[in-house]
Amino acid sequence: MREQGLERPVGTLLQPLYSRGVYFPDFLTPFQASDGLESGLLAILDAPPARTAGEIDQLSRSSGISRWTSEIPGAQGRRELVRILRAYHRTVLAPHWEHIQARIEAERAARLRALLARGVEGLLADLGPTMRWENPVLHVKYPAEERDLHLNGRGLRLVPSYFCWGAPVSLADPELQPVLCYPVLQEPATPSLDAAWDGQEKALAALIGQARAAVLRTTASGATTGEIARAIGVSASSASRHATVLRDAGLVTSSRHGTSVLHTLTPAGASVLRASTRRARKPTADHTEVRRRR
């Protein structure tokens, strides 16, 4: 950041603006950002000045802001903010974006398969320890004040986030399109090639090789060749070769879906995986009761 001249603007503008307090301005996380960084930055530029000023004022009351932050509601202030955000992304985040995106895509694939297999009930039931689904209410361990968010038929956009730490967050304004941003800091269940396996999992790796054992684990919920490659950190051609060996052994079956090949476990493959992990599992603590959210 020093080389790019970002140390001062990050310290005087971004850090106060993106505070870790209970309030965060909604205009900084526009719905249009689902179409990519540039769409999100354009939405920040186009945010109504009155709304921006009101949210900056609320931020000032909750956590305090710097002189530079107070200038954001003006057109020039927002142009400067977008310039710094773009430079920060290019300098700090872009070099790691492939790894971040792979983790997000793995989470999205897992949610989609849960939806296809068990419907909305299955998708909401597996969102993680900070959320609990009890039809028709989704209970969320929320970091800010306790409140109920009524969807009223608007739907809920779930956003897996690499940088959302601890607990899910939502927009402050209940009139905006409902969004729930939840953390995916934990690595996926599929181990990477250099992961330390315990107990029976080591025995499986010794039997068929660590890479193929990782591929077998990855295909437990279904995975394309590209997803396997990203999950275990190998090339697509290597992932394809491992999947072929497992398919020839009767442990995996493959089918084409559009331009991708989806690999899933056969009954024999599922039996092998269950046998290898049965003794490795450890009991987990009961889910801690969380405050009611919707």
Side-chain angles (χ1 to χ4, degrees):
M1 290 196 296
R2 182 181 300 111
E3 293 176 357
Q4 298 298 321
L6 285 174
E7 283 189 313
R8 185 183 181 193
V10 166
T12 59
L13 180 60
L14 294 192
Q15 285 184 339
L17 186 60
Y18 291 81
S19 68
R20 300 191 65 179
V22 297
Y23 175 75
F24 185 79
D26 289 333
F27 82 91
L28 293 173
T29 53
F31 198 79
Q32 296 90 329
S34 60
D35 293 327
L37 174 67
E38 291 303 320
S39 296
L41 295 178
L42 182 61
I44 291 176
L45 287 174
D46 293 340
R51 173 194 166 191
T52 304
E55 293 182 3
I56 290 294
D57 182 61
Q58 185 172 347
L59 176 65
S60 177
R61 293 195 304 271
S62 64
S63 60
I65 55 176
S66 67
R67 176 174 63 84
W68 290 272
T69 307
S70 64
E71 297 174 358
I72 288 176
Q76 180 59 36
R78 272 181 287 168
R79 283 194 293 269
E80 178 65 8
L81 171 63
V82 166
R83 183 190 71 80
I84 295 171
L85 287 174
R86 186 179 284 113
Y88 183 87
H89 179 274
R90 181 178 61 251
T91 303
V92 179
L93 301 180
H96 309 283
W97 203 248
E98 184 175 348
H99 170 77
I100 295 170
Q101 192 63 29
R103 181 66 189 93
I104 297 299
E105 289 179 2
E107 171 66 17
R108 292 175 62 187
R111 296 303 110 233
L112 177 59
R113 292 195 176 103
L115 177 65
L116 293 175
R118 293 175 288 146
V120 173
E121 293 281 338
L123 183 149
L124 296 176
D126 294 334
L127 284 175
T130 57
M131 292 174 278
R132 187 181 76 254
W133 169 247
E134 293 181 356
N135 194 352
V137 177
L138 180 63
H139 302 264
V140 178
K141 184 179 180 181
Y142 200 65
E145 78 284 354
E146 184 167 343
R147 64 181 176 130
D148 290 340
L149 175 61
H150 299 278
L151 300 182
N152 296 323
R154 293 177 294 171
L156 176 67
R157 179 180 288 267
L158 297 172
V159 181
S161 171
Y162 196 85
F163 296 103
C164 180
W165 293 357
V169 294
S170 186
L171 298 175
D173 186 351
E175 298 303 317
L176 295 174
Q177 177 67 37
V179 172
L180 185 64
C181 183
Y182 66 96
V184 290
L185 286 178
Q186 295 180 353
E187 289 301 312
T190 302
S192 62
L193 287 179
D194 59 355
W197 286 16
D198 296 325
Q200 298 298 313
E201 292 180 330
K202 287 184 177 180
L204 178 62
L207 177 66
I208 64 175
Q210 195 171 16
R212 287 170 191 162
V215 172
L216 196 67
R217 288 282 303 273
T218 306
T219 56
S221 57
T224 65
T225 303
E227 289 169 350
I228 292 173
R230 288 191 292 270
I232 69 173
V234 299
S235 66
S237 59
S238 180
S240 179
R241 287 195 300 272
H242 290 310
T244 298
V245 171
L246 294 173
R247 183 172 62 249
D248 292 343
L251 301 180
V252 167
T253 183
S254 304
S255 58
R256 181 164 292 280
H257 286 254
T259 59
S260 302
V261 176
L262 180 65
H263 308 282
T264 55
L265 295 177
T266 64
S271 297
V272 169
L273 193 58
R274 280 196 301 271
S276 70
T277 58
R278 187 175 297 120
R279 294 181 182 178
R281 292 195 186 105
K282 298 179 181 178
T284 57
D286 291 339
H287 187 285
T288 302
E289 184 68 22
V290 297
R291 293 169 294 177
R292 169 170 266 186
R293 302 288 185 275
R294 184 177 181 182

